Amino acid sequence: MVALRYSALFVDIQPEAIDMKAEISKEVSAFLLSLSEKGFVADEKLLRALCSLPATEDLLNEITEVIDGALGIGLNWAPLVKGWDIPTGESFLDHYLTSYANYYHNISEGHLVDRPVDMPRTVQIVSGSEYERKTVMGMDGTMLPCGHFIPDGTFPLERYNGCPFCGTPFNTSSVIFTGQGTSKKTLGLMTREDLESLEESLLTSTVPLDATQSESLKNLIKVFGFDENIFIAMKETRMIVADALVSSSSDEDAAKAGRLFSSPADILRFLWFRKTGKLQVIEPKILIAHAGKLNAHMWGPLDKSAEASQVMKQNLRLKYDRRMCSAVAFWLNNLQMDADQACEIMHPKRGMWVRMIRALRLGEYSRKPGFEKLRELLDVFYKDEYSVWKGELDRCLGTTCGCVDYSRALGLLKQRPGTFARSLFAVMLRMGPQVALDAFREVMDKVPSRLVLSLGNAAEFFFDTSATRIARPITGVTKVIPYNRRLDNFTPAQRSQMAQSVADLYKEAMQKRFSQEQFTPGCKIYIDPGLFDIPVNIGDRSSTIQDTSAALQGTRFGVEGDAVRLFMQWGKGLPAQHLDMDLSAAVCYQDGRKEYCAYFNLTLPGAKHSGDIRNIPDKIGTAEYVELNLPELKSSGAKYVLFSCNAYSHGAISPNLMVGWMNSASPMALSNETGVAYDPSTVQHIVRISESNLSKGLIFGVLDVERAEITWLEMSFNAQYVAQLNSAAVEALLNRLRNKFSVGQLLSMKAEVQQCIQVPSPEEADEDMRYTYSWALDAAKVSRLL
């Protein structure tokens, strides 16, 4: 699975054992045909590696199972409507008449509320050919297995795989199309050595890992363990490694985990990660409030926000066994810092620490012999006998008193370069741009390059009062924020100059960084043109997992034909229940209008929806589709289309929900009998929602109609349906991604500083200077440039 995410297959073979002249066996030939039908092709090295193994049938079967699982093959891909490319003609009046008839039917049957009745014996669910006939209030109609009465003359039941009124599917289908794709994804070879090297790259990455990389690292640690001598730069990555150590039954491994923690903040992060599954510390009050928002509902009687908040509050109650209590006491007692410094670090989360200390029985452990440092730490913490750097800074800035001392404030900021970098813009507005920049240059060498890069990316939007600014709080939901009012104190020319000064700051830092490397002038470098469209992945955290085609946020995909088909599959492995996820497309026009192709509007010019499913069948899930026709969208004046999926049900988007889009130069088939429209060979991009997701909605792509180009992005938002989406936030995120410093620009700067010669093909470049698209997928390798 990990190899597949990097467009490769894993074969446990030594490179020298590969026979490049080995003949292709029948088993391998059949496997290659199966790969081709699913949209993949094996490169020469992978092919010969498979042929070089003495017995490959079991391996090929395992690989096939992994690929099928990643692509959702074997699940139910039948939507609500059969042949949904032709509209059913259903209207609001159909829903109203059906609702009216069912209301009186329930009263006549003695039911006060609408609920499913026992399934009639005459119903054949598989074929759907027989349903019970009934008359209600003088209206003839059909009684469906879900218990709903459909009057004649309303919904054309022969067009549906289930109930058009409540969205319950009766007929399912695991049969899909194959082989329609006109572009094949090339799969390479990954050996044990390659995977171990990949694990090391992920461990040493100096940028936060996204959800896909985190999942891959967890799997690799399970198989290979990890080298204890490797320095793990990112704190979030250390939590993954520490979790693997603590999860083992060995007390020795738990003690080893303590070496990964350099401060109490690391220990708190780890404990909260074990409790919530989140790599960032999200305080209980935020999680409780957020649970309430996720379970709110537009219709009052269905609102469960108060109940959900109480459930979350109960779930966050702390309870630890003796093994964990002993381990944490040992970690805190062995920290290499004095008690005052440790308490200052604990202060911002003091409330959480008070609960943790009590739940972990640290007071009890502090009285035991050998835990003297822990006893001192708790004594200083509870007596408040420590000073706080942030409090001193606030006093110097005049936020807690009327006295202002900017000189002292700058001195304090220089003591903590990382904090200085994160607050640089505010300091420029408060103290003056030149004073702040001159002070920052003195400590810039101590700031990670990724932080300086993020400043350069954000400067243009921060200092532009007319630009739409967005922020992603710790819960991941994107919000539009107003510009800083202190900007009104500067003229447009001054604001533009401040933005340019920050951009120059980054270039200055990177030129110095590249000039200090060891390099050979005149070496040949290849930079893939596609890298100029890929932003350097800094600060764009992800909650989706890409199992078959890893792509960086901001990557642009060209549309091959005239149609783009969105798809969504959810409910895999879950019992039959109400679980309403919605796939939608928001069409934005040149004149500023917006229209939606969604459950409440199944057709509009250039877009068709497959019908709204609100209940999932047992274990195999269900699907929805949206078909976009580019010529029709152009003629209707569409500018771009937003791809969205939402949780209409209570809670966040269902974990393991798969969403993506298909396109092909040739027309893609659609079944008139079942409505199935899925073909893995035409899938251009597909993602899976991870367990750590905290949002109700996700924008996963933007189609530029004129350019026939799709930009992959991930923008979370809290809305029950697509019409509540703030499209200004989407445009702001898209602009930010497109204006970010690209990987290609970064490499061009490196080539210029190190006097490299750019060549048009990777074969002409030096071996260690071949920067292809596949190279850029490894975030750790890109981060080494920084």
Side-chain angles (χ1 to χ4, degrees), residues 95-108:
H95 285 270
Y96 176 78
L97 290 175
T98 303
S99 177
Y100 176 83
N102 278 274
Y103 175 76
Y104 282 100
H105 171 259
N106 289 330
I107 291 178
S108 65

Side-chain angles (χ1 to χ4, degrees), residues 144-218:
L144 298 182
C146 58
H148 286 121
F149 173 76
I150 308 299
D152 291 346
T154 56
F155 301 98
L157 289 180
E158 70 280 358
R159 295 287 311 280
Y160 292 88
N161 286 314
C163 175
F165 185 66
C166 70
T168 300
F170 307 144
N171 305 327
T172 61
S173 175
S174 60
V175 178
I176 59 173
F177 296 102
T178 57
Q180 298 178 102
T182 50
S183 296
K184 306 290 184 185
K185 301 181 181 74
T186 302
L187 296 176
L189 170 67
M190 264 194 169
T191 63
R192 182 176 292 269
E193 184 180 332
D194 295 326
L195 286 177
E196 289 175 344
S197 175
L198 172 62
E199 181 188 24
E200 183 178 349
S201 293
L202 294 173
L203 287 171
T204 57
S205 173
T206 56
V207 297
L209 303 182
D210 61 25
T212 306
Q213 294 164 333
S214 297
E215 188 82 7
S216 297
L217 180 59
K218 292 175 187 177

Side-chain angles (χ1 to χ4, degrees), residues 335-628:
L335 287 175
Q336 300 301 312
M337 60 174 59
D338 58 45
D340 288 351
Q341 186 179 3
C343 288
E344 183 185 356
I345 293 172
M346 296 165 67
H347 184 78
K349 304 293 181 185
R350 185 179 177 87
M352 293 184 69
W353 269 112
V354 169
R355 295 178 61 218
M356 286 289 182
I357 291 170
R358 186 181 302 124
L360 290 161
R361 305 178 180 90
L362 295 183
E364 175 186 332
Y365 280 91
S366 69
R367 292 189 288 272
K368 293 184 177 182
F371 287 90
E372 289 76 16
K373 286 193 67 177
L374 175 62
R375 186 184 312 130
E376 182 188 2
L377 173 66
L378 295 184
D379 190 51
V380 173
F381 179 76
Y382 277 114
K383 291 180 178 178
D384 281 342
E385 294 178 345
Y386 56 91
S387 60
V388 180
W389 177 89
K390 181 64 166 58
E392 180 64 23
L393 178 64
D394 288 342
R395 281 193 291 273
C396 293
L397 294 176
T399 55
T400 57
C401 63
C403 180
V404 177
D405 187 351
Y406 286 160
S407 177
R408 168 69 175 153
L410 285 174
L412 290 170
L413 286 168
K414 291 177 189 178
Q415 294 175 12
R416 302 196 175 180
T419 304
F420 196 175
R422 293 180 177 90
S423 57
L424 178 62
F425 295 164
V427 175
M428 289 172 66
L429 297 182
R430 185 187 287 265
M431 303 183 191
Q434 198 57 49
V435 172
L437 290 173
D438 288 344
F440 182 68
R441 278 193 174 89
E442 296 178 25
V443 295
M444 190 168 63
D445 291 343
K446 300 177 183 178
V447 177
S449 299
R450 61 185 177 86
L451 263 183
V452 186
L453 171 60
S454 64
L455 290 174
N457 287 331
E460 181 180 353
F461 295 97
F462 181 89
F463 292 106
D464 185 355
T465 56
S466 62
T468 302
R469 290 178 60 206
I470 58 172
R472 296 187 68 176
I474 202 164
T475 54
V477 178
T478 306
K479 297 182 180 293
V480 175
I481 57 176
Y483 70 88
N484 191 312
R485 293 300 175 185
R486 289 181 183 269
L487 288 170
D488 292 333
N489 298 329
F490 300 86
T491 66
Q494 288 175 322
R495 295 196 292 263
S496 178
Q497 180 58 44
M498 284 191 280
Q500 186 59 47
S501 298
V502 175
D504 292 342
L505 202 68
Y506 168 69
K507 292 176 182 177
E508 176 186 327
M510 289 312 303
Q511 286 171 350
K512 185 176 181 180
R513 163 87 172 80
F514 289 136
S515 64
Q516 291 174 345
E517 290 181 347
Q518 290 186 352
F519 62 89
T520 304
C523 63
K524 296 180 179 178
I525 185 173
Y526 170 74
I527 304 174
D528 191 316
L531 299 184
F532 288 90
D533 292 330
I534 301 177
V536 180
N537 188 23
I538 301 292
D540 294 324
R541 300 179 188 274
S542 169
S543 62
T544 62
I545 299 173
Q546 305 174 53
D547 284 326
T548 62
S549 55
L552 303 175
Q553 270 203 73
T555 300
R556 302 174 197 176
F557 298 86
V559 178
E560 298 178 13
D562 289 336
V564 173
R565 183 173 293 169
L566 315 184
F567 63 87
M568 180 176 70
Q569 213 285 351
W570 77 100
K572 173 185 176 182
L574 298 177
Q577 60 181 289
H578 173 73
L579 189 63
D580 188 2
M581 302 292 122
D582 292 323
L583 179 68
S584 312
V587 182
C588 303
Y589 295 93
Q590 302 281 357
D591 57 8
R593 290 181 299 119
K594 279 189 293 187
E595 290 186 322
Y596 305 99
C597 183
Y599 70 90
F600 54 85
N601 185 30
L602 299 182
T603 59
L604 56 85
K608 297 174 184 175
H609 196 286
S610 65
D612 182 30
I613 293 180
R614 284 164 268 174
N615 298 280
I616 59 172
D618 193 47
K619 304 296 184 184
I620 57 176
T622 192
E624 289 184 9
Y625 306 90
V626 172
E627 180 99 354
L628 302 173

Side-chain angles (χ1 to χ4, degrees), residues 213-287:
Q213 294 164 333
S214 297
E215 188 82 7
S216 297
L217 180 59
K218 292 175 187 177
N219 291 332
L220 291 173
I221 289 175
K222 288 179 184 177
V223 178
F224 301 121
F226 74 100
D227 186 350
E228 297 177 20
N229 297 319
I230 293 177
F231 175 71
I232 304 174
M234 289 302 302
K235 293 181 180 179
E236 295 178 19
T237 308
R238 292 180 205 166
M239 301 305 109
I240 297 173
V241 177
D243 184 54
L245 289 171
V246 173
S247 296
S248 71
S249 57
S250 170
D251 290 337
E252 183 181 349
D253 284 344
K256 288 179 183 177
R259 301 173 193 168
L260 300 170
F261 306 137
S262 60
S263 72
D266 292 345
I267 297 174
L268 179 64
R269 184 192 292 267
F270 172 74
L271 292 170
W272 209 236
F273 168 60
R274 296 269 292 186
K275 184 68 179 176
T276 65
K278 311 294 185 296
L279 285 167
Q280 295 171 286
V281 179
I282 307 177
E283 293 192 20
K285 63 181 180 181
I286 297 176
L287 288 172

